[in-house]
Amino acid sequence: QVQLVESGGGSAQAGGSLRLSCAASGYRYPSPCMGWFRQAPGKEREGVAAFVNDKSSYADSVKGRFTISKDNARNTLYLQMNSLKPEDTAMYYCAAGCLRLSVGPLEEARYNSWGQGTQVTVTS
């Protein structure tokens, strides 16, 4: 059974940094499709960054500030978040598993497994 466990969330001041981790278990091999999504209160969940077949993708709102990386040996996905802004405040979710290959890497429908989320709060 696939399990994704996020960690590293918390509070930061604007301009600060946080690093999120997502530990994946239950995969025989590292999933070639993994990504980070976020959902702010009152808003829909949106794709933030993703790795699909070792190619990274980013939402325009985080380009140049966030970096996605992974450690295949540890089956762990990371999201380094720098220059944080109050609008980055959200619950951040890890996603994995290649489901619908016809949709983009930052689309929810691309993935079939989700973590429980970790809260990120950025204060001004």
Side-chain angles (χ1 to χ4, degrees), residues 3-6 22 45 92-96 113-118:
Q3 187 175 19
L4 304 174
V5 179
E6 302 96 335
C22 171
R45 190 154 58 181
Y92 283 71
Y93 298 90
C94 176
S113 296
W114 294 84
Q116 293 300 307
T118 184

Side-chain angles (χ1 to χ4, degrees), residues 9-73:
S11 297
Q13 289 190 329
S17 299
L18 286 172
R19 188 193 194 203
L20 305 184
S21 299
C22 171
S25 61
Y27 286 108
R28 184 173 182 181
Y29 303 102
S31 173
C33 303
M34 297 190 76
W36 289 98
F37 288 73
R38 68 185 180 187
Q39 186 168 21
K43 295 187 177 181
E44 294 186 353
R45 190 154 58 181
E46 61 174 354
V48 175
F51 255 130
V52 174
N53 294 325
D54 292 328
K55 180 179 178 180
S56 60
S57 301
Y58 295 92
D60 289 342
S61 59
V62 305
K63 280 182 181 177
R65 300 189 298 122
F66 290 10
T67 302
I68 190 171
S69 62
K70 60 179 179 175
D71 184 336
N72 286 331

